[in-house]
Amino acid sequence: MLRFLLLCCLCLIATAIPASDDAASDTSGDTARLRPGSLRRETFWSPSLGVRKQVQVYLPPSYHRRGAESVRYPAVVYLHGKWGDETDWVEKGRLASTMDSLISAGMPEMLVVMPDGDDGWWMSWAQPVDLDLCRRTPHRGEPADQFCVPHPRYDTYVARDLIAYIDSAYRTLARPESRAIGGVSMGGYGAMTLAARFPDTFSAAASHAGILAPGLLADSSTIAVSGRVTWRASRTTNELQRATGPRWEGMYPMFGVDPATWQPRDPATLMLALQARGGRLPSLFVDVAHGDEVLKQNRIFRTALAQHDIPVTYVESDGAHTWENYRASLSRALRFLADHLARVPRAG
C-alpha cells in the first residue's frame, strides 16, 4: 500500500511541472494570451533635442514567441503629464497590467511606447532655453544633460526621432494607419496637437483630462446669459496669466507671452486647420471627470470640433484630476485605439 501511495504522489508531481522547456514555451491558443507582456527601458539619441532621452516600451505577450519573428505590431505612444517622466504610465497608471488584462480578454496586441518629455509640453518652444539656468536647477534627480535640452523641439522629437528609433529597434508596422498617440493632462494636449500636426505619423489619438483649450478665459466682458458663464480665448498677456493661473510660469516659455503665439498651438485650431487643408483626420477619444478643473476646456474642444463635423468619442465620468481617475479610464482609451489599429493586418 505504501508503495502504491508513493507512485501516485510521483504521478501528481509529474503532471504539475512542465516536462521540458518546449512545454513551458507552448504559445498556442489561450495559453499565450495568459502570459504577461514585458517592459524595456532604453536610451536613444534625439537630434531634435540634441540630447539622449529615455523611453519605456511595453511589448505584448506574443512578441518573443517562437514563430512570431515575422509578425509586426501596431504601436501607441503614451505621453506623461507635467512633472512626469517615462515611468509614470507604468508606475502610477498601471498601464502594463492593464494591457495584460485587456489582451488576455481578447484585445488585439500592440506595443506601447512611453517617452520622457520633461516639462516641454510636447511642442517646439516659442522661447529659447536658458541652458545655464536649467543646469543650475535640479529636476527630480534627472541628469542635467538629459533634462536641459539645447533645442526644445519636443514635437519633432516624438513624431520623428522617437518613431524612427522604435521602428528600427522593434517589429512595428511602420505606417500611420498602425500608429496612435495618447496622453494625460499636458500629455493629452500633446496627443491631440501631435495627431493634428503629424497625420503622416499618427491616425488616432486619446486624451485623458487633457489641457485642450489652454488660453480659455471666463469672459467678464459680456453679460452672462441665464446665469451661465461665457468663455473665450484670452486677448492679452494679462488675460493669459489669469487664464492659466499657477500654470503660467511653466507654460509661457513654450507658448509665448502673446496670444498670437497661443492660437496656432490650440488643439481645436490645429484640428480645424488639418480639416481645412483636406488632411486625413485622426480618430479621437477624449475623457474627463466631472470634478476636473479642465472639464470646461474639454467640453469646448468637443463643441468646437462638433461644429465642423469632426467626430470625437467623448466620455465624462465621476472623479477629479487624479491618477485614480486616469487609471479608471485607461482601459476604455486603449480598447478604442486598439480597435482602430486592428483594422490593418499585422503581418508585414
mmCIF file of all heavy atoms in Angstrom, residues 181-231:
data_model
loop_
_atom_site.group_PDB
_atom_site.id
_atom_site.type_symbol
_atom_site.label_atom_id
_atom_site.label_comp_id
_atom_site.label_asym_id
_atom_site.label_seq_id
_atom_site.Cartn_x
_atom_site.Cartn_y
_atom_site.Cartn_z
ATOM 1 N N ILE A 181 -1.537 57.779 -30.654
ATOM 2 C CA ILE A 181 -0.872 58.518 -29.581
ATOM 3 C C ILE A 181 -1.901 58.892 -28.522
ATOM 4 O O ILE A 181 -3.057 59.210 -28.837
ATOM 5 C CB ILE A 181 -0.158 59.767 -30.145
ATOM 6 C CG1 ILE A 181 0.684 60.452 -29.063
ATOM 7 C CG2 ILE A 181 -1.143 60.743 -30.790
ATOM 8 C CD1 ILE A 181 1.659 61.487 -29.616
ATOM 9 N N GLY A 182 -1.490 58.817 -27.258
ATOM 10 C CA GLY A 182 -2.374 59.189 -26.166
ATOM 11 C C GLY A 182 -1.587 59.887 -25.075
ATOM 12 O O GLY A 182 -0.347 59.927 -25.106
ATOM 13 N N GLY A 183 -2.285 60.444 -24.094
ATOM 14 C CA GLY A 183 -1.581 61.112 -23.008
ATOM 15 C C GLY A 183 -2.523 61.686 -21.976
ATOM 16 O O GLY A 183 -3.745 61.722 -22.182
ATOM 17 N N VAL A 184 -1.940 62.140 -20.873
ATOM 18 C CA VAL A 184 -2.718 62.659 -19.758
ATOM 19 C C VAL A 184 -2.326 64.106 -19.470
ATOM 20 O O VAL A 184 -1.142 64.449 -19.484
ATOM 21 C CB VAL A 184 -2.522 61.788 -18.495
ATOM 22 C CG1 VAL A 184 -1.069 61.784 -18.042
ATOM 23 C CG2 VAL A 184 -3.421 62.255 -17.360
ATOM 24 N N SER A 185 -3.318 64.963 -19.241
ATOM 25 C CA SER A 185 -3.109 66.357 -18.865
ATOM 26 C C SER A 185 -2.232 67.052 -19.905
ATOM 27 O O SER A 185 -2.646 67.217 -21.052
ATOM 28 C CB SER A 185 -2.504 66.423 -17.463
ATOM 29 O OG SER A 185 -2.539 67.726 -16.955
ATOM 30 N N MET A 186 -0.998 67.451 -19.557
ATOM 31 C CA MET A 186 -0.092 68.001 -20.559
ATOM 32 C C MET A 186 0.094 67.015 -21.711
ATOM 33 O O MET A 186 0.202 67.407 -22.876
ATOM 34 C CB MET A 186 1.260 68.321 -19.913
ATOM 35 C CG MET A 186 2.314 68.879 -20.854
ATOM 36 S SD MET A 186 3.953 69.090 -20.061
ATOM 37 C CE MET A 186 4.573 67.394 -20.181
ATOM 38 N N GLY A 187 0.122 65.721 -21.401
ATOM 39 C CA GLY A 187 0.251 64.698 -22.429
ATOM 40 C C GLY A 187 -0.992 64.553 -23.281
ATOM 41 O O GLY A 187 -0.912 64.175 -24.455
ATOM 42 N N GLY A 188 -2.171 64.854 -22.706
ATOM 43 C CA GLY A 188 -3.392 64.869 -23.513
ATOM 44 C C GLY A 188 -3.349 65.995 -24.519
ATOM 45 O O GLY A 188 -3.767 65.833 -25.676
ATOM 46 N N TYR A 189 -2.840 67.144 -24.077
ATOM 47 C CA TYR A 189 -2.611 68.247 -25.013
ATOM 48 C C TYR A 189 -1.660 67.799 -26.118
ATOM 49 O O TYR A 189 -1.913 68.018 -27.309
ATOM 50 C CB TYR A 189 -2.021 69.446 -24.264
ATOM 51 C CG TYR A 189 -1.509 70.528 -25.184
ATOM 52 C CD1 TYR A 189 -2.354 71.524 -25.665
ATOM 53 C CD2 TYR A 189 -0.174 70.549 -25.596
ATOM 54 C CE1 TYR A 189 -1.882 72.510 -26.530
ATOM 55 C CE2 TYR A 189 0.304 71.528 -26.459
ATOM 56 C CZ TYR A 189 -0.554 72.507 -26.923
ATOM 57 O OH TYR A 189 -0.083 73.461 -27.794
ATOM 58 N N GLY A 190 -0.561 67.163 -25.742
ATOM 59 C CA GLY A 190 0.412 66.705 -26.721
ATOM 60 C C GLY A 190 -0.169 65.706 -27.699
ATOM 61 O O GLY A 190 0.108 65.767 -28.907
ATOM 62 N N ALA A 191 -0.986 64.780 -27.205
ATOM 63 C CA ALA A 191 -1.562 63.761 -28.081
ATOM 64 C C ALA A 191 -2.441 64.395 -29.161
ATOM 65 O O ALA A 191 -2.359 64.030 -30.344
ATOM 66 C CB ALA A 191 -2.369 62.762 -27.252
ATOM 67 N N MET A 192 -3.281 65.344 -28.769
ATOM 68 C CA MET A 192 -4.180 65.960 -29.741
ATOM 69 C C MET A 192 -3.435 66.854 -30.727
ATOM 70 O O MET A 192 -3.713 66.840 -31.938
ATOM 71 C CB MET A 192 -5.259 66.769 -29.006
ATOM 72 C CG MET A 192 -6.239 65.910 -28.233
ATOM 73 S SD MET A 192 -7.234 64.882 -29.331
ATOM 74 C CE MET A 192 -7.497 63.439 -28.296
ATOM 75 N N THR A 193 -2.473 67.621 -30.255
ATOM 76 C CA THR A 193 -1.772 68.525 -31.158
ATOM 77 C C THR A 193 -0.833 67.767 -32.098
ATOM 78 O O THR A 193 -0.721 68.109 -33.282
ATOM 79 C CB THR A 193 -0.984 69.582 -30.367
ATOM 80 O OG1 THR A 193 -0.103 68.931 -29.439
ATOM 81 C CG2 THR A 193 -1.924 70.499 -29.604
ATOM 82 N N LEU A 194 -0.174 66.732 -31.602
ATOM 83 C CA LEU A 194 0.719 65.959 -32.460
ATOM 84 C C LEU A 194 -0.063 65.170 -33.506
ATOM 85 O O LEU A 194 0.370 65.042 -34.658
ATOM 86 C CB LEU A 194 1.583 65.022 -31.619
ATOM 87 C CG LEU A 194 2.671 65.716 -30.790
ATOM 88 C CD1 LEU A 194 3.325 64.733 -29.827
ATOM 89 C CD2 LEU A 194 3.714 66.362 -31.671
ATOM 90 N N ALA A 195 -1.223 64.639 -33.129
ATOM 91 C CA ALA A 195 -2.055 63.928 -34.108
ATOM 92 C C ALA A 195 -2.530 64.875 -35.200
ATOM 93 O O ALA A 195 -2.629 64.486 -36.378
ATOM 94 C CB ALA A 195 -3.248 63.280 -33.411
ATOM 95 N N ALA A 196 -2.823 66.132 -34.828
ATOM 96 C CA ALA A 196 -3.277 67.106 -35.824
ATOM 97 C C ALA A 196 -2.133 67.586 -36.705
ATOM 98 O O ALA A 196 -2.324 67.823 -37.900
ATOM 99 C CB ALA A 196 -3.923 68.299 -35.114
ATOM 100 N N ARG A 197 -0.944 67.719 -36.141
ATOM 101 C CA ARG A 197 0.184 68.268 -36.896
ATOM 102 C C ARG A 197 0.944 67.223 -37.693
ATOM 103 O O ARG A 197 1.631 67.547 -38.662
ATOM 104 C CB ARG A 197 1.146 68.981 -35.937
ATOM 105 C CG ARG A 197 0.558 70.240 -35.311
ATOM 106 C CD ARG A 197 1.606 71.026 -34.557
ATOM 107 N NE ARG A 197 2.735 71.335 -35.445
ATOM 108 C CZ ARG A 197 4.010 71.112 -35.121
ATOM 109 N NH1 ARG A 197 4.305 70.578 -33.958
ATOM 110 N NH2 ARG A 197 4.973 71.425 -35.962
ATOM 111 N N PHE A 198 0.828 65.953 -37.303
ATOM 112 C CA PHE A 198 1.576 64.896 -37.979
ATOM 113 C C PHE A 198 0.654 63.748 -38.409
ATOM 114 O O PHE A 198 0.787 62.618 -37.935
ATOM 115 C CB PHE A 198 2.686 64.372 -37.065
ATOM 116 C CG PHE A 198 3.716 65.395 -36.702
ATOM 117 C CD1 PHE A 198 3.609 66.126 -35.527
ATOM 118 C CD2 PHE A 198 4.801 65.646 -37.545
ATOM 119 C CE1 PHE A 198 4.566 67.082 -35.181
ATOM 120 C CE2 PHE A 198 5.759 66.592 -37.216
ATOM 121 C CZ PHE A 198 5.632 67.319 -36.037
ATOM 122 N N PRO A 199 -0.282 64.027 -39.328
ATOM 123 C CA PRO A 199 -1.174 62.951 -39.795
ATOM 124 C C PRO A 199 -0.432 61.885 -40.600
ATOM 125 O O PRO A 199 -0.974 60.796 -40.803
ATOM 126 C CB PRO A 199 -2.192 63.692 -40.669
ATOM 127 C CG PRO A 199 -1.483 64.932 -41.116
ATOM 128 C CD PRO A 199 -0.599 65.323 -39.965
ATOM 129 N N ASP A 200 0.803 62.187 -41.019
ATOM 130 C CA ASP A 200 1.616 61.184 -41.698
ATOM 131 C C ASP A 200 2.303 60.243 -40.712
ATOM 132 O O ASP A 200 2.990 59.303 -41.122
ATOM 133 C CB ASP A 200 2.680 61.869 -42.567
ATOM 134 C CG ASP A 200 3.630 62.747 -41.760
ATOM 135 O OD1 ASP A 200 3.225 63.227 -40.672
ATOM 136 O OD2 ASP A 200 4.767 62.959 -42.208
ATOM 137 N N THR A 201 2.087 60.490 -39.411
ATOM 138 C CA THR A 201 2.679 59.638 -38.376
ATOM 139 C C THR A 201 1.625 58.918 -37.548
ATOM 140 O O THR A 201 1.779 57.736 -37.245
ATOM 141 C CB THR A 201 3.575 60.480 -37.441
ATOM 142 O OG1 THR A 201 4.571 61.151 -38.214
ATOM 143 C CG2 THR A 201 4.256 59.611 -36.401
ATOM 144 N N PHE A 202 0.545 59.629 -37.175
ATOM 145 C CA PHE A 202 -0.475 59.067 -36.291
ATOM 146 C C PHE A 202 -1.857 59.120 -36.944
ATOM 147 O O PHE A 202 -2.184 60.097 -37.618
ATOM 148 C CB PHE A 202 -0.522 59.837 -34.969
ATOM 149 C CG PHE A 202 0.794 59.900 -34.252
ATOM 150 C CD1 PHE A 202 1.499 61.093 -34.177
ATOM 151 C CD2 PHE A 202 1.331 58.779 -33.648
ATOM 152 C CE1 PHE A 202 2.714 61.176 -33.517
ATOM 153 C CE2 PHE A 202 2.551 58.842 -32.983
ATOM 154 C CZ PHE A 202 3.246 60.036 -32.919
ATOM 155 N N SER A 203 -2.656 58.093 -36.690
ATOM 156 C CA SER A 203 -4.006 58.062 -37.252
ATOM 157 C C SER A 203 -5.092 58.039 -36.178
ATOM 158 O O SER A 203 -6.279 57.993 -36.503
ATOM 159 C CB SER A 203 -4.176 56.840 -38.159
ATOM 160 O OG SER A 203 -3.978 55.636 -37.431
ATOM 161 N N ALA A 204 -4.709 58.060 -34.915
ATOM 162 C CA ALA A 204 -5.687 58.091 -33.824
ATOM 163 C C ALA A 204 -5.034 58.717 -32.605
ATOM 164 O O ALA A 204 -3.804 58.682 -32.453
ATOM 165 C CB ALA A 204 -6.192 56.689 -33.500
ATOM 166 N N ALA A 205 -5.871 59.293 -31.732
ATOM 167 C CA ALA A 205 -5.338 59.962 -30.541
ATOM 168 C C ALA A 205 -6.339 59.859 -29.400
ATOM 169 O O ALA A 205 -7.557 59.847 -29.617
ATOM 170 C CB ALA A 205 -5.029 61.428 -30.831
ATOM 171 N N ALA A 206 -5.801 59.791 -28.170
ATOM 172 C CA ALA A 206 -6.634 59.731 -26.969
ATOM 173 C C ALA A 206 -6.112 60.717 -25.939
ATOM 174 O O ALA A 206 -4.898 60.854 -25.757
ATOM 175 C CB ALA A 206 -6.641 58.322 -26.386
ATOM 176 N N SER A 207 -7.020 61.403 -25.272
ATOM 177 C CA SER A 207 -6.655 62.373 -24.239
ATOM 178 C C SER A 207 -7.378 62.041 -22.947
ATOM 179 O O SER A 207 -8.590 61.837 -22.930
ATOM 180 C CB SER A 207 -7.027 63.787 -24.687
ATOM 181 O OG SER A 207 -6.968 64.691 -23.591
ATOM 182 N N HIS A 208 -6.615 61.993 -21.849
ATOM 183 C CA HIS A 208 -7.183 61.848 -20.514
ATOM 184 C C HIS A 208 -7.008 63.178 -19.783
ATOM 185 O O HIS A 208 -5.877 63.612 -19.527
ATOM 186 C CB HIS A 208 -6.463 60.749 -19.727
ATOM 187 C CG HIS A 208 -6.434 59.420 -20.396
ATOM 188 N ND1 HIS A 208 -7.453 58.501 -20.280
ATOM 189 C CD2 HIS A 208 -5.509 58.854 -21.216
ATOM 190 C CE1 HIS A 208 -7.144 57.416 -20.981
ATOM 191 N NE2 HIS A 208 -5.981 57.605 -21.561
ATOM 192 N N ALA A 209 -8.103 63.846 -19.490
ATOM 193 C CA ALA A 209 -8.059 65.121 -18.760
ATOM 194 C C ALA A 209 -7.055 66.074 -19.383
ATOM 195 O O ALA A 209 -6.250 66.714 -18.705
ATOM 196 C CB ALA A 209 -7.717 64.880 -17.288
ATOM 197 N N GLY A 210 -7.072 66.180 -20.692
ATOM 198 C CA GLY A 210 -6.102 66.996 -21.399
ATOM 199 C C GLY A 210 -6.329 68.485 -21.246
ATOM 200 O O GLY A 210 -7.457 68.950 -21.029
ATOM 201 N N ILE A 211 -5.256 69.239 -21.369
ATOM 202 C CA ILE A 211 -5.346 70.699 -21.416
ATOM 203 C C ILE A 211 -5.670 71.042 -22.869
ATOM 204 O O ILE A 211 -4.787 71.275 -23.684
ATOM 205 C CB ILE A 211 -4.024 71.360 -20.986
ATOM 206 C CG1 ILE A 211 -3.493 70.736 -19.691
ATOM 207 C CG2 ILE A 211 -4.202 72.869 -20.836
ATOM 208 C CD1 ILE A 211 -4.396 70.907 -18.507
ATOM 209 N N LEU A 212 -6.960 71.077 -23.194
ATOM 210 C CA LEU A 212 -7.379 71.142 -24.595
ATOM 211 C C LEU A 212 -7.837 72.532 -25.041
ATOM 212 O O LEU A 212 -8.209 72.711 -26.202
ATOM 213 C CB LEU A 212 -8.488 70.110 -24.856
ATOM 214 C CG LEU A 212 -8.097 68.651 -24.580
ATOM 215 C CD1 LEU A 212 -9.206 67.713 -25.007
ATOM 216 C CD2 LEU A 212 -6.781 68.286 -25.264
ATOM 217 N N ALA A 213 -7.817 73.497 -24.148
ATOM 218 C CA ALA A 213 -8.080 74.899 -24.514
ATOM 219 C C ALA A 213 -7.244 75.754 -23.575
ATOM 220 O O ALA A 213 -7.765 76.403 -22.670
ATOM 221 C CB ALA A 213 -9.566 75.229 -24.410
ATOM 222 N N PRO A 214 -5.921 75.762 -23.746
ATOM 223 C CA PRO A 214 -5.018 76.322 -22.727
ATOM 224 C C PRO A 214 -5.185 77.803 -22.458
ATOM 225 O O PRO A 214 -4.866 78.268 -21.363
ATOM 226 C CB PRO A 214 -3.621 76.020 -23.287
ATOM 227 C CG PRO A 214 -3.823 75.755 -24.741
ATOM 228 C CD PRO A 214 -5.189 75.173 -24.877
ATOM 229 N N GLY A 215 -5.671 78.593 -23.408
ATOM 230 C CA GLY A 215 -5.836 80.026 -23.187
ATOM 231 C C GLY A 215 -7.263 80.425 -22.866
ATOM 232 O O GLY A 215 -7.613 81.610 -22.935
ATOM 233 N N LEU A 216 -8.091 79.472 -22.478
ATOM 234 C CA LEU A 216 -9.510 79.736 -22.228
ATOM 235 C C LEU A 216 -9.694 80.616 -20.995
ATOM 236 O O LEU A 216 -9.064 80.419 -19.964
ATOM 237 C CB LEU A 216 -10.246 78.413 -22.021
ATOM 238 C CG LEU A 216 -11.771 78.457 -22.108
ATOM 239 C CD1 LEU A 216 -12.218 78.756 -23.527
ATOM 240 C CD2 LEU A 216 -12.345 77.132 -21.626
ATOM 241 N N LEU A 217 -10.604 81.609 -21.112
ATOM 242 C CA LEU A 217 -10.827 82.558 -20.028
ATOM 243 C C LEU A 217 -12.315 82.770 -19.821
ATOM 244 O O LEU A 217 -13.080 82.882 -20.785
ATOM 245 C CB LEU A 217 -10.173 83.899 -20.365
ATOM 246 C CG LEU A 217 -10.262 85.003 -19.309
ATOM 247 C CD1 LEU A 217 -9.330 84.703 -18.133
ATOM 248 C CD2 LEU A 217 -9.900 86.351 -19.933
ATOM 249 N N ALA A 218 -12.736 82.796 -18.547
ATOM 250 C CA ALA A 218 -14.111 83.172 -18.246
ATOM 251 C C ALA A 218 -14.306 84.623 -18.666
ATOM 252 O O ALA A 218 -13.538 85.501 -18.270
ATOM 253 C CB ALA A 218 -14.393 83.006 -16.758
ATOM 254 N N ASP A 219 -15.313 84.875 -19.488
ATOM 255 C CA ASP A 219 -15.465 86.183 -20.131
ATOM 256 C C ASP A 219 -16.294 87.124 -19.265
ATOM 257 O O ASP A 219 -17.515 87.020 -19.195
ATOM 258 C CB ASP A 219 -16.122 85.995 -21.500
ATOM 259 C CG ASP A 219 -16.068 87.274 -22.324
ATOM 260 O OD1 ASP A 219 -15.585 88.298 -21.798
ATOM 261 O OD2 ASP A 219 -16.492 87.245 -23.484
ATOM 262 N N SER A 220 -15.624 88.058 -18.600
ATOM 263 C CA SER A 220 -16.323 89.042 -17.774
ATOM 264 C C SER A 220 -16.674 90.293 -18.564
ATOM 265 O O SER A 220 -17.245 91.235 -18.023
ATOM 266 C CB SER A 220 -15.440 89.427 -16.576
ATOM 267 O OG SER A 220 -14.210 89.964 -17.032
ATOM 268 N N SER A 221 -16.343 90.300 -19.853
ATOM 269 C CA SER A 221 -16.613 91.496 -20.655
ATOM 270 C C SER A 221 -18.022 91.474 -21.238
ATOM 271 O O SER A 221 -18.461 92.429 -21.845
ATOM 272 C CB SER A 221 -15.604 91.608 -21.795
ATOM 273 O OG SER A 221 -15.746 90.533 -22.705
ATOM 274 N N THR A 222 -18.724 90.363 -21.064
ATOM 275 C CA THR A 222 -20.098 90.269 -21.544
ATOM 276 C C THR A 222 -21.006 89.854 -20.400
ATOM 277 O O THR A 222 -20.556 89.321 -19.387
ATOM 278 C CB THR A 222 -20.216 89.236 -22.683
ATOM 279 O OG1 THR A 222 -19.811 87.962 -22.187
ATOM 280 C CG2 THR A 222 -19.345 89.607 -23.863
ATOM 281 N N ILE A 223 -22.282 90.083 -20.560
ATOM 282 C CA ILE A 223 -23.249 89.708 -19.530
ATOM 283 C C ILE A 223 -23.607 88.235 -19.714
ATOM 284 O O ILE A 223 -23.943 87.789 -20.815
ATOM 285 C CB ILE A 223 -24.525 90.569 -19.643
ATOM 286 C CG1 ILE A 223 -24.157 92.043 -19.425
ATOM 287 C CG2 ILE A 223 -25.571 90.122 -18.629
ATOM 288 C CD1 ILE A 223 -25.329 92.985 -19.664
ATOM 289 N N ALA A 224 -23.507 87.470 -18.632
ATOM 290 C CA ALA A 224 -23.830 86.048 -18.703
ATOM 291 C C ALA A 224 -25.308 85.869 -19.014
ATOM 292 O O ALA A 224 -26.173 86.591 -18.503
ATOM 293 C CB ALA A 224 -23.489 85.370 -17.384
ATOM 294 N N VAL A 225 -25.622 84.891 -19.874
ATOM 295 C CA VAL A 225 -26.995 84.605 -20.257
ATOM 296 C C VAL A 225 -27.552 83.511 -19.347
ATOM 297 O O VAL A 225 -26.941 82.461 -19.178
ATOM 298 C CB VAL A 225 -27.055 84.151 -21.732
ATOM 299 C CG1 VAL A 225 -28.486 83.829 -22.130
ATOM 300 C CG2 VAL A 225 -26.461 85.226 -22.623
ATOM 301 N N SER A 226 -28.723 83.763 -18.752
ATOM 302 C CA SER A 226 -29.385 82.788 -17.875
ATOM 303 C C SER A 226 -28.455 82.309 -16.764
ATOM 304 O O SER A 226 -28.495 81.148 -16.355
ATOM 305 C CB SER A 226 -29.889 81.586 -18.700
ATOM 306 O OG SER A 226 -30.778 82.019 -19.702
ATOM 307 N N GLY A 227 -27.592 83.200 -16.286
ATOM 308 C CA GLY A 227 -26.708 82.841 -15.190
ATOM 309 C C GLY A 227 -25.516 81.999 -15.593
ATOM 310 O O GLY A 227 -24.722 81.617 -14.734
ATOM 311 N N ARG A 228 -25.362 81.683 -16.869
ATOM 312 C CA ARG A 228 -24.239 80.857 -17.311
ATOM 313 C C ARG A 228 -23.027 81.726 -17.631
ATOM 314 O O ARG A 228 -23.156 82.811 -18.199
ATOM 315 C CB ARG A 228 -24.630 80.036 -18.542
ATOM 316 C CG ARG A 228 -25.687 78.967 -18.252
ATOM 317 C CD ARG A 228 -26.057 78.242 -19.524
ATOM 318 N NE ARG A 228 -26.653 79.165 -20.504
ATOM 319 C CZ ARG A 228 -27.007 78.805 -21.735
ATOM 320 N NH1 ARG A 228 -26.791 77.574 -22.151
ATOM 321 N NH2 ARG A 228 -27.549 79.699 -22.561
ATOM 322 N N VAL A 229 -21.860 81.221 -17.274
ATOM 323 C CA VAL A 229 -20.618 81.938 -17.578
ATOM 324 C C VAL A 229 -20.248 81.679 -19.037
ATOM 325 O O VAL A 229 -20.316 80.545 -19.515
ATOM 326 C CB VAL A 229 -19.486 81.457 -16.655
ATOM 327 C CG1 VAL A 229 -18.168 82.133 -17.022
ATOM 328 C CG2 VAL A 229 -19.836 81.745 -15.197
ATOM 329 N N THR A 230 -19.877 82.721 -19.747
ATOM 330 C CA THR A 230 -19.391 82.544 -21.117
ATOM 331 C C THR A 230 -17.867 82.510 -21.100
ATOM 332 O O THR A 230 -17.227 83.023 -20.185
ATOM 333 C CB THR A 230 -19.882 83.689 -22.018
ATOM 334 O OG1 THR A 230 -19.423 84.934 -21.475
ATOM 335 C CG2 THR A 230 -21.397 83.689 -22.109
ATOM 336 N N TRP A 231 -17.302 81.898 -22.140
ATOM 337 C CA TRP A 231 -15.857 81.693 -22.201
ATOM 338 C C TRP A 231 -15.336 82.137 -23.559
ATOM 339 O O TRP A 231 -16.038 82.092 -24.555
ATOM 340 C CB TRP A 231 -15.531 80.210 -21.981
ATOM 341 C CG TRP A 231 -15.947 79.697 -20.640
ATOM 342 C CD1 TRP A 231 -17.211 79.345 -20.253
ATOM 343 C CD2 TRP A 231 -15.126 79.484 -19.504
ATOM 344 N NE1 TRP A 231 -17.233 78.939 -18.948
ATOM 345 C CE2 TRP A 231 -15.947 79.005 -18.457
ATOM 346 C CE3 TRP A 231 -13.773 79.660 -19.269
ATOM 347 C CZ2 TRP A 231 -15.461 78.681 -17.206
ATOM 348 C CZ3 TRP A 231 -13.268 79.330 -18.005
ATOM 349 C CH2 TRP A 231 -14.118 78.856 -16.988
#
